Amino acid sequence: MTDVTHSIEEEDFGPSPREILKKSILAHRSLLLGFGAIVIIVLAALLAPVLAPHDPYLQDLSIRFTPPVWQDGGSWEHILGTDHLGRDYLSRLLYGARISLTIGIGAVLISGTIGTTLGVCAGYFGGRVDMVVNYLITVRLSMPVVLVALAIVAIFGGSLNIVIMVLGFLLWDRFAVVMRSSTMQVRNMDYVQSAQAVGCSTLRIVLTEIMPNIMNNLIVVATLEMAHAILLEAGLSFLGLGVQPPLPSWGLMVAEGKEMLFFEPWLIMIPGAALFILILSINLMGDGVRDVTAPAGKN
Amino acid sequence: MTHSDTPVLELNGIKKTFMISQGLMKGTKPLYALNDISVQLNKGEVLGIVGESGCGKSTLAKILLGLMEPTSGEVLIDGQSLKGHKQLDISRRVQPIFQDPYSSLNPRKRIGDIISLPLRVHGIGDPAEHERKVIEILDLVGLPKRVLNNYPNQMSGGQRQRVAIARALIMKPEIVICDEPTSALDVSVQSQILNLLMDLKDELQLTYLFISHDLSVVEHLADRVIVMYLGRICEQAPPDRIFDEPRHPYTEALLGSVLTPEPGQGVPDTNLGASYPNPINPPSGCRFHPRCAKAMDICKSNAPMLQQINRSKVECHLYE
Amino acid sequence: MTNIVEVENLRVKIPVSAGMLNPVRGLTFEIKKGETLCVVGESGSGKSLSAFSLMKLLPKIADISADKMQFMGRDILKMSPSELQNMRGNRMAMIFQEPMTALNPSYTIGNQLVEVLRRHQNVSVKEATERAIYLLEKVGITAAASRLSQYPHQLSGGLRQRVVIAMALMCGPDLIIADEPTTALDVTIQAQILHLLKELQEEFEMAILLITHDLGVVARMADRVAVMYAGEFVETGTAEQVFKQPVHPYTQGLLSCIPVPGKTARGSRLGSIPGIVPSLIGDMRGCAFRSRCPHANGACHNNVPLEKWSDDHFKRCVLDDTALTSIAKEAIA
């Protein structure tokens, strides 16, 4: 009788979580699309010095407002044309990707660290700690991000580092809120209690029992906040209070092109489209990560 | 059944009070989750605790595991008070097995890592020794070695519960707190886990505190049974006494509610009129009196004292 | 007695990523007026799905087919959505495991009770309220009139389940489908609720289809029992027959697994069924229980029909009568 049952037990174990994840990632088209686009943009940013046909800061007033290659008067020398100072637009766009990504990643690293620390502490310890963190979140939510950012940049002057710091210290609220509620959910699981009963330190419990189980939510929030930060930077730069010229920030490029909106519309359409594609792909990836990781272990 | 009369675990007058918020600006009210609980657990014995939800049995388990401090009273393990002891010391001697094998295993960890965690936390041995011990204990709980690299969601409920048992036993604790270890499982799996627990008890000379709402399971396993109601012990006796001669009316009602698979007997009327009282506003006198078919006048005003009748201890005015 | 429900060869198919899942594989049963049929099985046996398909409450992706599926003489499979709605909650009512999910948290109990009746029958609010109070008293709720204005969260689990039962009774149904109605409740409350269901059944002459995994509940409640394993009935009969003379090795195994106070020796080893339920994806041949059966032989690889054992007592097993009789005797001893 045992030989029959053993053969069943042998086959029993289903696919591992990793195999399931791999399968659902490969089946998720918009996740793959977003991820693919981001890989291309990151590569373009990293390889900008190699890919860029010209120096992005080199001015040549004699060729200013050269239209892109698909319009009358365009040439393959400047595929996306030149701006009001005659700088090569494609080169500026490639270098601009570096700035957008630096700001996105930098701001998320800062805000993610602050928000996750606060949120996990609040969710894990509850009680007083939770009250304090909730108070901090409320205070933060009552501050209008754009106005505060404008004020700080106006006082300290705009630079890449300051923009990253300002955004990093302003965008942690969503991390805190999401991490707090996910920690509360995981905290009540029996495996956390079991780790306590084994004698694990609180830090160990948070790092090895709780964090792996809320990582998916962290990634989703991180992608959304990254898109948020990049958009805010573009907005600040557009208002002249973000990254300062001559740095080729996409927001700055839109601002510089707005004067010629009716005569040379591609000047803002090209950086605008680049921003749109980057934000869209980040959001597609975030949504995809949420879809792929959410139903694990349920049903 | 081999067990001595030396207590490995003693509870002396344990009380646990939670302050429950009544809403904004309304202040708090005390909830007496455990009200003066005194129990002895002897080496090698299975002590069954029966009671319905809200009777305080889970709070008791948490206090025994050192996860919660009692409001007053003391817990003694081998005559030593738990107070002032580090969680690490307690965890070597007392380990839990939880009810739900789906939430008691971290879904992001491999089975091997889950079982070896206690060894790593306590710094016992090197990785090679960990693996040897894990394989040894896997064999003991009846799981093949290949599950080491599996994840919990690849396994069935029964297999998961075996993993949870392996984790609890790898440090060779003296006392295992089984908190409803089979109530989330199918009947055919439940019997396997119960058999396994009994085998392991003999093999490793364990002492069990077996918490359950299922009287028939407790009757089958326990050497002594405690019936709890609203944070108090209302009856304490060997299982044959409890089942053949229940003293407390609540024990009687609980017993009457056990539906054995015997057709033709119908569903008994338990005569427990009113519903379970709100523990924040417990009834006066004997806490069971509003539901008790045999309630007398004195039950409404005076709390009953503990009576020793033969081998049973009962808290009921009927026996005073 | 008349049959309220007649089902022949009920099958449910659900496409999943790994292929076609067959959780219900050819059920045939009928429920007579005023009778209790208990379907008992472990998780994954398909018992809840078959109850849901009787109400046509499965998601669209599930394919329900049957040679015959009639309720009060009408074909359930051919009913239009409005006819189905008219049947559900009216002539056929359901009691779920978790009473909180069956009650809407944002309406009062009175509102919900009255609404059920007025949706199906042309009565005034006053009449409906009177019936609600009458039924709440019937299900043992004291001060029924004052409970009408309470919300579900103000009640305890046992009281909520009583309200759900009262709600199921509002339209005076002919059939109540109860899916693990007491699993979420404490033992004393479980006994009370089941006791109540029995009383109400006699008074209102309802049929009950009770789905549960608890053999104790089945033994005490059922007129007839169907033991379900891997989407099939493996043994059917009266409660007396199935519990006193179980013939199918699965039924015997199940019964040996549970300790019975006063019968099972204290501390003795309990019986067990080794192995696990087979996957129900794809086509299956042969007895689904053969991989776990202590008496399996080569013949078990062929499909096994549900055969008569004695009057009303059917079994799905290839073993011949003499073999089964001796096994059954062993199991009882």
Side-chain angles (χ1 to χ4, degrees), chain A residues 9-10 12-18 189-191 193-194 196-200 204 208-209 212-213 216, chain B residues 62 67 87-88 91 95 98 103-109 118 120-122 146-147 150-151 153-154 159 167:
Chain A
E9 292 255 7
E10 303 271 316
D12 167 38
F13 305 117
S16 75
R18 224 161 270 183
M189 302 298 271
D190 285 342
Y191 56 80
Q193 243 184 68
S194 157
Q196 289 171 333
V198 159
C200 287
R204 184 174 194 145
T208 66
E209 308 290 332
N213 287 293
N216 53 340
Chain B
K62 278 192 183 158
L67 301 181
Q87 184 63 44
L88 279 180
S91 60
Q95 276 296 306
F98 293 105
S103 89
S104 69
L105 306 182
N106 188 340
R108 307 274 172 185
K109 285 184 161 184
R120 285 182 281 128
V121 170
H122 288 256
R146 342 172 251 116
V147 303
N150 281 9
Y151 286 88
N153 72 349
Q154 292 172 270
Q159 290 167 335
R167 171 180 58 191

Side-chain angles (χ1 to χ4, degrees), chain B residues 3 8-11 37-50 60 64 175-178 198 201 206-212 218-219 221-228 233 235-239:
Chain B
H3 59 266
V8 276
L9 183 73
E10 260 184 285
L11 299 178
I37 300 279
S38 297
V39 193
Q40 274 192 12
L41 184 58
N42 298 327
K43 185 156 180 56
E45 140 181 272
V46 180
L47 176 63
I49 296 190
V50 200
L60 188 64
L64 293 176
I175 304 162
V176 180
I177 315 276
C178 310
M198 293 322 285
K201 180 192 155 246
L206 301 168
T207 306
Y208 286 152
L209 188 81
F210 197 97
I211 300 174
S212 179
V218 168
E219 191 261 1
L221 297 181
D223 301 315
R224 215 145 46 85
V225 180
I226 284 176
V227 182
M228 280 180 73
I233 296 176
E235 183 161 358
Q236 190 177 154

Side-chain angles (χ1 to χ4, degrees), chain A residues 163-220:
Chain A
V163 172
I164 290 178
M165 298 281 274
V166 166
L167 294 180
F169 281 101
L170 282 176
L171 296 181
W172 54 265
D173 52 301
R174 205 182 309 181
F175 283 100
V177 171
V178 174
M179 288 298 102
R180 174 178 168 270
S181 60
S182 354
T183 306
M184 281 170 133
Q185 267 175 23
V186 175
R187 197 206 182 301
N188 288 328
M189 302 298 271
D190 285 342
Y191 56 80
V192 173
Q193 243 184 68
S194 157
Q196 289 171 333
V198 159
C200 287
S201 64
T202 305
L203 186 67
R204 184 174 194 145
I205 291 176
V206 167
L207 290 182
T208 66
E209 308 290 332
I210 293 190
M211 282 311 279
N213 287 293
I214 57 175
M215 214 46 181
N216 53 340
N217 291 342
L218 181 61
I219 293 173
V220 174

